[in-house]
Amino acid sequence: MKTFRADLHIHSVLSPCGSLEMSPVNIVREAKRKKLDIIAITDHNSSKNSKALLDLLDDEIAFFYGMELQTVSETHMLALFDTYENASEFNNYVYEKLPDIKNKPEYFGEQVVVDKDENILEMEKKLLAQSVNIDIDEAVKKIHSLDGLAIPSHINRDMYGIIAQLGFLPENIDFDALEIDERSKFEEVKTQYKNKYPIIKNSDAHYLEDIGTYYTEFYIEAPTVSEIKKALKGIEGRKICYDA
Amino acid sequence: MKLSNIAEKIGLKLRNDVELDDIDIKSGYVGDLLSDVLANAPDNSLWFTVQKHQNIIAVADAKEIQGIVIVNNVNPDDVLLEKASKKGLPIFSFDNNSYFAAGKLYKLLENEDIQG
């Protein structure tokens, strides 16, 4: 087993708030430069730019495929999968329940789907920065049915964090972990939730320089979702390296 | 003012099996951020929101909110309604937005103050 450094929350040009330099190829190059072993492109309510990752795979870096879902309660949650296929199935399920409101690029920013060479494949017309008509528990069940990870993101941020939106963590939902960002007090949050959920850190990068500024190290056998799940549970010798 | 009276005058549709006659409403609150409702909702109020997550029951409980109106025709699920019934917490639906619902409540309570 070895230590894998993971930043599992990165936005690309498909997120209206993502910088235009955030193409999959640039993200992967920057992630390698930052010595990351696993990354995920997690745009708001869409996995379409994860497809380009399939063409950028090599021995140096592993990818998870997924999105940052905005639930009907207006909370953000990472949905991460081993395969593009499963991410794509989740993507279709979400897209159907995404209200048909048009993006206004002048307000929200462009939503660009690109290939590995930065060719524009499509401009997403539906606004991605809005709530999808899916409840949190329903989303978690769907993610788990596709063998994915369900991780509420930046849980204690005022905007779209699950604590601000719902007052406190809902009970009886099988989250795989909770995510905090660099603005959170890691030790405080870890102490508060340690008996309930593992805590992970990601960059939530919207600009290239932010990639890998905040990350989690996992001591695992291979860069797969099932290995991460074991590390989150702390079983079979897998673990999160909290001293990192 | 009695909640049964308010419900009738505003046109709220009761969704679960709770007796309204004994419930007295003194104020109202509008909010969808539950952390804000927890911090600021007054006791004995009627709460207007679009949130239908089960956490709304615990928030109402913590703040002594006496009833929840889920506005904009948002449909609460059966689990929520059952849980609220067990707590004796009425859940209503309203077919317009919080502005209209809360505006009507404000008027009712204001008139009661003037008369009372």
Side-chain angles (χ1 to χ4, degrees):
Chain A
M1 280 195 279
K2 69 176 208 120
T3 302
F4 289 82
R5 184 176 289 189
D7 183 356
L8 304 177
H9 187 167
I10 298 171
H11 290 269
S12 81
V13 286
L14 179 52
S15 294
C17 45
S19 153
L20 282 175
E21 65 189 2
M22 292 294 260
S23 62
V25 66
N26 280 343
I27 289 170
V28 171
R29 190 184 302 126
E30 182 70 7
K32 286 179 181 173
R33 207 174 66 77
K34 299 270 175 65
K35 309 281 183 219
L36 294 167
D37 301 301
I38 318 170
I39 61 163
I41 291 180
T42 49
D43 289 306
H44 294 295
N45 299 325
S46 180
S47 297
K48 284 187 181 171
N49 265 351
S50 287
K51 194 173 186 188
L53 292 175
L54 292 172
D55 296 318
L56 294 164
L57 255 181
D58 62 26
D59 294 341
E60 273 183 70
I61 194 160
F63 304 131
F64 291 161
Y65 306 87
M67 66 168 67
E68 184 177 34
L69 174 71
Q70 184 170 320
T71 69
V72 74
S73 301
E74 218 155 277
T75 63
H76 283 183
M77 182 161 66
L78 297 176
L80 301 167
F81 307 91
D82 265 325
T83 63
Y84 176 72
E85 205 182 5
N86 283 12
S88 184
E89 187 176 335
F90 187 72
N91 182 74
N92 294 342
Y93 162 80
V94 166
Y95 199 78
E96 215 170 81
K97 292 166 187 262
L98 183 69
D100 195 11
I101 297 169
K102 297 272 169 285
N103 183 32
K104 288 188 173 170
E106 63 273 31
Y107 297 129
F108 299 109
E110 298 289 355
Q111 304 180 151
V112 193
V113 182
V114 293
D115 66 11
K116 71 170 170 48
D117 299 316
E118 302 184 320
N119 296 310
I120 294 177
L121 300 175
E122 181 191 346
M123 303 297 277
E124 175 59 60
K125 298 282 195 303
K126 262 198 211 180
L127 177 64
L128 294 174
Q130 59 166 325
S131 295
V132 182
N133 198 11
I134 303 175
D135 285 324
I136 297 175
D137 47 350
E138 188 187 343
V140 172
K141 279 179 197 150
K142 183 72 180 177
I143 292 165
H144 286 163
S145 77
L146 294 165
D147 301 321
L149 292 163
I151 302 174
S153 34
H154 44 72
I155 57 158
N156 48 4
R157 198 185 290 174
D158 288 343
M159 292 284 282
Y160 307 114
I162 194 165
I163 309 291
Q165 297 297 136
L166 295 181
F168 48 90
L169 275 180
E171 285 174 8
N172 306 321
I173 300 188
D174 191 16
F175 298 125
D176 295 285
L178 307 175
E179 182 209 69
I180 58 167
D181 63 17
E182 84 286 353
R183 281 168 273 184
S184 308
K185 289 179 178 147
F186 177 63
E187 286 305 327
E188 220 169 82
V189 176
K190 196 167 144 245
T191 309
Q192 192 177 354
Y193 297 108
K194 74 176 170 191
N195 293 327
K196 286 187 172 169
Y197 300 102
I199 309 292
I200 67 163
K201 304 186 279 186
N202 291 313
S203 71
D204 191 4
H206 287 71
Y207 298 89
L208 277 178
E209 64 263 31
D210 295 332
I211 292 172
T213 49
Y214 220 46
Y215 57 81
T216 306
E217 289 189 331
F218 296 96
Y219 187 66
I220 47 180
E221 188 70 43
T224 63
V225 164
S226 60
E227 282 289 309
I228 297 277
K229 283 198 183 199
K230 284 179 187 173
L232 293 171
K233 291 190 173 121
I235 57 173
E236 296 174 34
R238 279 77 168 168
K239 60 182 182 181
I240 308 172
C241 309
Y242 275 129
D243 330 317
Chain B
M1 188 178 235
K2 294 273 174 254
L3 184 52
S4 49
N5 198 1
I6 290 170
E8 194 196 325
K9 287 195 165 135
I10 299 184
L12 305 175
K13 190 175 159 207
L14 184 64
R15 299 299 303 271
N16 59 348
D17 190 18
V18 175
E19 183 55 57
L20 302 182
D21 282 344
D22 303 333
I23 301 175
D24 198 33
I25 296 295
K26 300 239 182 281
S27 186
Y29 199 73
V30 177
D32 305 317
L33 268 174
L34 303 201
S35 52
D36 166 70
V37 179
L38 271 174
N40 298 313
D43 287 355
N44 300 311
S45 58
L46 185 59
W47 171 24
F48 304 93
T49 185
V50 292
Q51 283 281 12
K52 54 166 182 161
H53 190 276
Q54 285 176 35
N55 275 18
I56 61 176
I57 297 171
V59 169
D61 205 20
K63 297 301 288 186
E64 293 183 37
I65 286 167
Q66 301 296 329
I68 304 175
V69 180
I70 303 179
V71 299
N72 283 354
N73 261 335
V74 171
N75 197 29
D77 65 31
D78 293 342
V79 181
L80 176 96
L81 294 175
E82 274 167 38
K83 275 194 172 177
S85 296
K86 278 183 195 153
K87 292 260 180 198
L89 177 72
I91 305 284
F92 300 93
S93 290
F94 186 63
D95 59 8
N96 208 325
N97 62 42
S98 291
Y99 167 77
F100 289 100
K104 286 178 177 179
L105 176 66
Y106 187 89
K107 240 180 167 176
L108 285 174
L109 294 180
E110 193 182 43
N111 285 341
E112 190 186 46
D113 271 355
I114 293 165
Q115 288 159 15

